[in-house]
RNA sequence: GGGCCUGUAGCUCAGGGGUUAGAGCACCCGACUCAUAAUCGGAGCGUCGUAGGUUCAAAUCCUACCAGGCCUACCA
């Protein structure tokens, strides 16, 4: 029985179409999932859409559609986009699914029975136009609603509250005792400061009266209310692996990794563990938090119109190029800048000039000098031993980096192999050896060299597969190793020097990464 | 107000108590010509935000300050 591995993206809110942020989250998750599959783990990758809440019903109304039709439409766009991009998710969950509604109600009932949910009356400043209670920040100097310029009315309402504050100390202690529980570490500190802020942790309002909101899941213990936001959204991670009935649920759940953007740190870092605790379930392994992409030095936002569509990027540059840029350019956890110029520069340098050209020169030389047949390597000399040592070491490093959620560093490690191979070729100068056809020693050295570079390509392809799956299989195919990825196990198969069979027929092909053109400078408007 | 993060080469950023501070891009010189005018070698480039402190030793730890960003407030 192989080790289970469960990884999730957040469910994406269906108020916008997929942009660079959603895409980055999914690219990271897909890459990590692919790595664990290649490591022989029983991997399950969950993604989906969050479809409840008044924003959705309002957006639907604005478009003159039924809420369900609107949600179906946007959810469909997400799903088809992810399919187009070949993300390897195992389930696409929607919060409007009956199975999910059932799970949410099950958990709500459980927490309610445990005494951690209670009905409270509170009063506040309610704006009829907004259909919600306002905070001080929503008010202007004269105490009026900023949007409607009308004074709010004092209104009382009863709602259900999750008694989250009970778990403050428990959670703080857990975070302190488990370094890496929330990572990178800066975000764990951030959560600790939320727990210890002056106000402390407040209880969480989890309902809305039905007269104010209908588009939601009814509370099982009081059908005059629907569940509001976080219980609904977070519990998808349980529904996704068929809580509670699936026989594999427990094992999967004990190996879950959540990937999120830093904007939803609080719900995932605070609400979610406390909900799980209250429901009597174990909490997640790791919360992995990534930063934001700044586009043209600005935050991505709908109003600026600077959202980057993954499908447009794919059409313009090829999706693996875009994907590579996202993975390589952002240090996981930190913010990064996106521009098409930077993408073109990075892709040309790393993928065209280094990797692509390496593949091209290796396979073409083999074709030219040895009719494309992988030759006998013979005994290793110092240079080959250096390569072998690198091949022993790098896959382990990559493995550690992937498990520490540092894909950008793992990718840099893989490229150490590419650089070493380019350098090795220059040291050996096989094109010179090839001319010395009557020198047996040179011929032997040429064989050794050609074997070694192709073997390096094999290793590089295996390690690259989670990042650039299509490129990896293309290279392997050209090495006469089609289908190798289905059998490969990382890191050991990448470490095993000599995995490329002697006598294997190879074939040349078009450049993997033709040089990209710089985008035409756009007008400043 | 409270909290967090960032400030390192012209640009984008790694690194994070210990030999002369790193990479890529850009620029310069050289080598090579198998390859996508790719590759390899070499050179230059920095008071590691500022001022103090701890230490045998600080870009790295501590304090204060300056600058930018973020969270605190449901955009990945």
């Amino acid at each position: 029985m192989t080790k289970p591995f469960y990884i999730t993206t957040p469910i994406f809110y269906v108020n916008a179409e997929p942009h660079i942020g959603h895409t980055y989250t999914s690219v990271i998750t897909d890459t990590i999932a692919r790595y664990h599959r290649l490591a022989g783990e029983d991997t399950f990758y969950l993604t989906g859409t969050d479809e409840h809440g008044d924003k959705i019903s309002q957006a639907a109304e604005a478009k003159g559609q039924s809420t369900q039709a609107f949600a179906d439409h946007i959810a469909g766009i997400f799903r088809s986009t992810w399919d187009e991009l070949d993300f390897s998710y195992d389930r696409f969950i929607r919060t409007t699914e009956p199975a999910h509604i059932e799970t949410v109600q099950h958990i709500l009932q459980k927490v309610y029975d445990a005494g951690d949910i209670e009905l409270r009356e509170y009063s506040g400043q309610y704006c009829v136009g907004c259909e919600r209670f306002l905070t001080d920040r929503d008010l202007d100097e004269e105490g009026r609603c900023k949007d409607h310029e009308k004074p709010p009315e004092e209104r009382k309402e009863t709602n259900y509250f999750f008694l989250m504050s009970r778990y403050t100390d428990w959670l703080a202690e857990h975070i302190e005792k488990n370094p890496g529980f929330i990572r990178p570490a800066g975000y764990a500190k951030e959560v600790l400061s939320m727990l210890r802020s002056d106000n402390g942790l407040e209880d969480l309002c989890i309902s809305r009266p039905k007269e104010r909101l209908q588009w939601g899941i009814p509370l099982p213990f009081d059908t005059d209310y629907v569940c509001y936001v976080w219980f609904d959204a977070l519990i998808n991670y349980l529904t996704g692996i068929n809580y509670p009935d699936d026989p594999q649920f427990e094992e999967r759940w004990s190996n879950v990794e959540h990937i999120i953007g830093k904007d939803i740190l609080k719900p995932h870092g605070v609400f979610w563990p406390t909900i799980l605790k209250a429901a009597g379930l174990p909490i997640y392994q790791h919360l992995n938090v990534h930063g934001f992409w700044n586009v043209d030095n600005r935050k991505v936002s709908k109003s600026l119109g600077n959202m980057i569509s993954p499908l447009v990027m794919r059409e313009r540059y090829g999706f693996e190029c875009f994907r590579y840029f996202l993975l390589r350019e952002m240090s996981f956890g930190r913010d990064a800048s996106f521009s098409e110029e930077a993408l073109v520069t990075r892709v040309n340098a790393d993928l065209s000039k280094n990797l692509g050209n390496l593949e091209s020169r290796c396979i073409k030389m083999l074709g030219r000098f040895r009719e494309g047949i992988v030759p006998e390597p013979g005994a290793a000399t110092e240079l080959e031993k250096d390569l072998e040592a690198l091949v022993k070491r790098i896959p382990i490093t990559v493995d550690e980096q992937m498990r520490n959620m540092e894909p950008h560093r793992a990718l840099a490690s893989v490229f150490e192999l590419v650089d070493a191979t380019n350098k090795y070729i220059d040291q050996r100068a096989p094109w010179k050896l090839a001319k010395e056809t009557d020198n047996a020693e040179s011929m032997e050295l040429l064989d050794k060299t050609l074997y070694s570079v192709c073997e390096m390509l094999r290793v590089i392809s295996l390690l690259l597969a989670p990042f650039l799956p299509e490129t990896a299989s293309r290279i392997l195919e050209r090495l006469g190793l089609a289908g190798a990825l289905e059998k490969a196990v990382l890191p050991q198969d990448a470490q095993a020097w000599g995995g490329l069979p002697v006598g294997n027929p190879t074939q040349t092909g078009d450049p993997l990464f033709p040089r990209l053109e710089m985008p035409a400078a756009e007008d400043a408007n």
Side-chain angles (χ1 to χ4, degrees), chain A residues 340-498:
Chain A
E340 294 187 45
E341 287 78 5
L343 183 153
V344 168
T345 302
R346 182 107 225 174
V347 166
N348 280 344
D350 293 0
L351 298 184
S352 302
K353 297 178 185 178
N354 269 347
L355 176 65
N357 183 56
L358 176 67
E359 177 277 335
S360 174
R361 66 198 301 217
C362 292
I363 305 230
K364 281 186 181 164
M365 275 194 284
L366 185 58
R368 194 156 144 180
F369 302 144
R370 288 294 180 263
E371 289 160 349
I373 305 299
V374 175
E376 282 281 354
T381 74
E382 282 307 308
L383 287 184
E384 289 77 25
K385 281 179 187 164
D386 288 347
L387 290 182
E388 287 182 38
L390 205 55
V391 159
K392 268 268 181 305
R393 179 168 66 80
I394 296 284
I396 297 298
T397 306
V398 169
D399 191 70
E400 289 166 358
Q401 290 166 330
M402 292 302 267
R403 291 176 193 281
N404 287 332
M405 207 54 73
E406 301 172 312
H408 58 294
R409 299 180 74 181
L411 212 35
S413 298
V414 175
F415 272 76
E416 283 186 44
L417 296 172
V418 176
D419 291 340
T421 310
N422 269 323
K423 187 168 181 171
Y424 169 78
I425 294 175
D426 260 56
Q427 288 170 312
R428 278 273 185 261
W431 51 91
K432 282 183 184 162
L433 296 170
K435 287 176 186 159
E436 302 164 15
T437 45
D438 46 6
N439 181 338
E441 210 175 303
S442 295
M443 290 299 99
E444 210 177 289
L445 211 47
L446 178 59
D447 285 349
K448 200 185 302 298
T449 305
L450 292 174
Y451 182 88
S452 300
V453 298
C454 289
E455 173 62 357
M456 288 300 283
L457 281 181
R458 181 190 69 87
V459 172
I460 289 164
S461 302
L462 291 185
L463 292 177
L464 218 44
F467 303 89
L468 303 176
E470 196 186 315
T471 302
S473 23
R474 287 179 77 191
I475 298 176
L476 288 166
E477 263 170 47
R478 291 178 184 190
L479 289 171
L481 293 171
L485 285 175
E486 280 134 52
K487 288 171 284 181
V489 180
L490 291 180
Q492 48 267 42
D493 285 351
Q495 288 183 284
W497 181 267

Side-chain angles (χ1 to χ4, degrees), chain A residues 252-276:
Chain A
R252 282 204 196 289
W253 183 247
S254 63
N255 289 284
V256 64
E257 296 278 341
H258 294 309
I259 308 282
I260 62 163
K262 66 180 185 179
D263 54 302
I264 47 177
L265 178 60
K266 187 171 186 178
H268 285 77
V270 179
F271 304 170
W272 186 220
T274 56
I275 291 171
L276 287 166

Side-chain angles (χ1 to χ4, degrees), chain A residues 17 29 62 64 67 95 98 137 144 191 193 224 281 294 301 340 378 402 424 442 444 495 508:
Chain A
E17 296 189 13
T29 306
T67 309
T95 54
R137 293 170 218 277
R144 302 179 309 176
V191 170
S193 81
D224 288 341
L281 284 163
N294 295 307
S301 79
E340 294 187 45
M402 292 302 267
Y424 169 78
S442 295
E444 210 177 289
Q495 288 183 284
T508 57

Side-chain angles (χ1 to χ4, degrees), chain A residues 91-105:
Chain A
R91 177 166 177 181
F92 188 99
I93 194 169
R94 300 181 55 188
T95 54
T96 48
E97 284 176 31
H100 179 63
I101 292 166
E102 208 176 294
T103 309
V104 171
Q105 292 182 328

Side-chain angles (χ1 to χ4, degrees), chain A residues 62-328:
Chain A
K63 287 208 163 190
Q65 292 179 333
S66 77
T67 309
Q68 187 64 57
F70 177 80
D72 287 350
H73 174 66
I74 306 285
I77 291 174
F78 269 94
R79 184 164 190 157
S80 67
T81 302
W82 293 169
D83 287 341
E84 284 278 307
L85 303 179
D86 203 27
F87 291 147
S88 61
Y89 64 85
D90 294 287
R91 177 166 177 181
F92 188 99
I93 194 169
R94 300 181 55 188
T95 54
T96 48
E97 284 176 31
H100 179 63
I101 292 166
E102 208 176 294
T103 309
V104 171
Q105 292 182 328
H106 179 94
I107 297 287
L108 280 167
Q109 188 67 52
K110 230 177 147 174
V111 176
Y112 184 75
D113 291 344
D116 281 336
I117 292 177
E118 69 178 35
L119 190 63
R120 285 185 189 165
E121 185 181 65
Y122 65 98
S123 64
Q125 305 292 314
Y126 186 86
C127 172
V128 180
C130 297
E131 295 182 330
R132 66 185 185 94
F133 287 87
L134 304 180
T135 66
D136 291 345
R137 293 170 218 277
D138 298 317
L139 304 175
D140 62 18
E141 293 87 17
E142 292 165 45
R144 302 179 309 176
C145 168
K146 283 177 183 168
D147 288 341
H148 296 87
E149 297 185 348
K150 279 182 191 162
E153 58 187 64
E154 180 82 12
R155 189 186 276 203
K156 281 183 184 172
E157 188 168 291
T158 52
N159 264 310
Y160 286 89
F161 284 76
F162 168 48
L163 307 186
M164 191 165 70
S165 57
R166 290 180 173 180
Y167 297 104
T168 305
D169 294 339
W170 162 78
L171 180 57
E173 196 175 316
H174 183 84
I175 292 170
E176 277 169 345
K177 284 189 177 163
N178 295 277
F181 171 63
I182 298 174
R183 60 190 182 187
Y187 293 109
K189 281 163 82 180
E190 188 91 26
V191 170
L192 279 176
S193 81
M194 290 173 195
L195 297 176
R196 292 187 174 137
S197 67
D198 298 339
N199 327 341
L201 200 51
E202 285 175 30
D203 292 325
L204 185 67
C205 181
I206 59 159
S207 71
R208 285 294 180 272
K210 261 200 181 149
E211 57 266 27
R212 275 220 285 139
L213 177 68
Q214 275 144 51
W215 186 241
I217 298 175
L219 299 186
F221 42 81
D222 188 342
T223 51
D224 288 341
Y225 292 85
V226 298
C227 177
Y228 190 64
V229 189
W230 287 108
F231 260 74
D232 179 354
L234 291 164
I235 286 168
N236 93 85
Y237 300 132
L238 299 177
T239 314
I241 52 172
N242 301 320
Y243 170 84
D245 301 324
D246 197 305
Q248 286 183 298
F249 171 80
E250 266 181 50
E251 258 211 298
R252 282 204 196 289
W253 183 247
S254 63
N255 289 284
V256 64
E257 296 278 341
H258 294 309
I259 308 282
I260 62 163
K262 66 180 185 179
D263 54 302
I264 47 177
L265 178 60
K266 187 171 186 178
H268 285 77
V270 179
F271 304 170
W272 186 220
T274 56
I275 291 171
L276 287 166
K277 177 74 176 167
L281 284 163
I283 56 178
Y284 50 78
Q285 280 290 295
H286 297 114
L287 181 63
N288 305 282
V289 188
H290 72 247
F292 282 158
W293 285 95
N294 295 307
V295 176
D296 303 325
N297 291 320
R298 288 163 174 222
K299 192 173 149 178
V300 172
S301 79
K302 280 158 269 172
S303 54
L304 285 170
N306 61 349
M307 294 192 293
I308 303 294
S309 155
L311 294 178
V312 170
M313 288 299 111
R314 169 171 169 255
E315 197 185 325
R316 211 169 281 174
Y317 303 109
F319 187 65
E320 295 225 324
C321 293
F322 181 56
R323 176 176 172 122
Y324 176 79
F325 181 82
L326 296 182
L327 287 165
R328 182 66 186 81

